[in-house]
Every structure is written in C-alpha cells, then in structure tokens.
Amino acid sequence: MAEYYAKSNDSLSFELTKDDQLIGKLIYQNWFRFNAEIVVSNRAYLIEPKGFWGTTIELKDHDKVLLKFRMNWNGEIVVQTYFDGLKESFAFKHRGVFKESFVLTDQQGVELFVMKPHLKWTSMNYEYHITTSDSFDGFTRKDLLLFTSLHCANYYMSMMVAAIV
C-alpha cells in the first residue's frame, strides 16, 4: 500500500509525488479543454479527445494509443489500457457527496486505489490524496494510470459542473 499526493499550484498543472519525490506532472493547455500532457521521467505523453464530439479521450505516446477512457451512461468512466499489447479494462467511479472520493476498480470490481479530493479555498485549487492497494503496487505502468485517473477526476468534476449550469 502506498500514498501519493497530487497538488495543483495553478489551475493548469498538477504535480504527483510519493514520499515527497516528484513522479511527474499533468499539464493542461487551457482551462476549457481536455487536452493535456503528462510528463514522467522526462518523457511526454499526450491526452486528447477523439472523434467529432470528443467523448472518448486517448493517452498517446507519439502516435501509439496506450489508453482510452469515456464516461458511460451511469456516470462511471471506463478506462481501457493497451500496455505491452494487452488490453485491460478498469472503472473509475465517484463515491459519496459529503465525503467525496473516487475509486479505480479492475474488471472483477477489486479496488485498486481511492482518490480523495480536497479544495484549497485560499487558491481555489484541488489537491488529491491517493491511497493504493497492494494489488495496484504490482502494476508496471501505474504512473500512467495514476495520471489518467487524476485527469478523469478533473474530467468528472467539469462534466458535473456543466450538467448543473
């Protein structure tokens, strides 16, 4: 079991750390778009909407699609990875209202981690505390799953705000 922290110093970027060591960054191009860049170990990955409506979002390493996600009819975000030629599916779910959190589960429903958002009222920026399970710690590309989940949390919140307005 490990603990990670995602902190936003401005509204366009997040830094992910574990034991006060920087894992990487999630950087948005602007506030109103879902395009972003993940930088891990001096390597950049692009996140961009796909298709006419942009409802499916892809994580790419140059032209190679490593991961896709989209929101389904019940509010869950379905994540499909294509790491090392193997296709795996995950569900990113929102839980609670007052004790809000997000959970990533595998196909069998096993929780891989819990992500708890915290709004810093002084700067109006979010921070996330992520607690992983032992089974998640065995993943080889867990850094990309963490960053994608961070993007999913932001995506989910923006979709819920848009639905309210």
Side-chain angles (χ1 to χ4, degrees):
M1 184 155 56
E3 291 188 357
Y4 296 84
Y5 294 94
K7 182 179 177 183
S8 177
N9 293 323
D10 58 38
S11 60
L12 295 177
S13 66
F14 288 84
E15 291 183 344
L16 182 67
T17 60
K18 178 183 174 191
D19 299 326
D20 293 325
Q21 295 293 320
L22 182 66
I23 306 288
K25 295 181 181 185
L26 171 64
I27 305 161
Y28 290 94
Q29 293 177 359
N30 64 50
W31 181 248
F32 300 106
R33 298 188 59 185
F34 294 120
N35 295 56
E37 181 180 49
I38 295 173
V39 179
V40 179
S41 301
N42 295 324
R43 189 168 185 171
Y45 302 90
L46 294 178
I47 297 176
E48 55 190 19
K50 178 81 173 158
F52 182 74
W53 297 106
T55 55
T56 297
I57 298 178
E58 295 179 336
L59 171 72
K60 293 181 175 182
D61 182 7
H62 296 89
D63 290 333
K64 183 177 180 183
V65 175
L66 299 177
L67 182 148
K68 293 182 185 181
F69 67 88
R70 63 177 167 70
M71 189 173 286
N72 67 10
W73 61 271
N74 65 357
E76 294 178 354
I77 296 175
V78 177
V79 179
Q80 293 179 321
T81 62
Y82 305 96
F83 301 144
D84 303 320
L86 299 173
K87 181 180 176 183
E88 290 187 84
S89 295
F90 303 91
F92 186 81
K93 306 173 188 179
H94 179 258
R95 286 198 309 201
V97 176
F98 298 111
K99 291 194 175 222
E100 186 175 46
S101 65
F102 297 98
V103 178
L104 184 73
T105 61
D106 64 13
Q107 286 181 304
Q108 290 75 35
V110 175
E111 285 187 10
L112 299 175
F113 63 73
V114 176
M115 177 184 287
K116 294 183 181 182
H118 174 70
L119 178 64
K120 290 175 41 181
W121 288 101
T122 55
S123 61
M124 294 304 290
N125 291 325
Y126 273 98
E127 292 183 353
Y128 296 90
H129 176 239
I130 306 164
T131 306
T132 64
S133 68
D134 291 334
S135 58
F136 181 76
D137 292 336
F139 279 84
T140 56
R141 305 293 273 297
K142 62 186 170 190
D143 52 352
L144 293 179
L145 271 175
L146 286 166
F147 277 109
T148 300
S149 297
L150 180 59
H151 186 70
C152 286
N154 293 331
Y155 176 75
Y156 186 90
M157 288 188 193
S158 68
M159 294 303 273
M160 293 305 108
V161 167
I164 293 170
V165 176

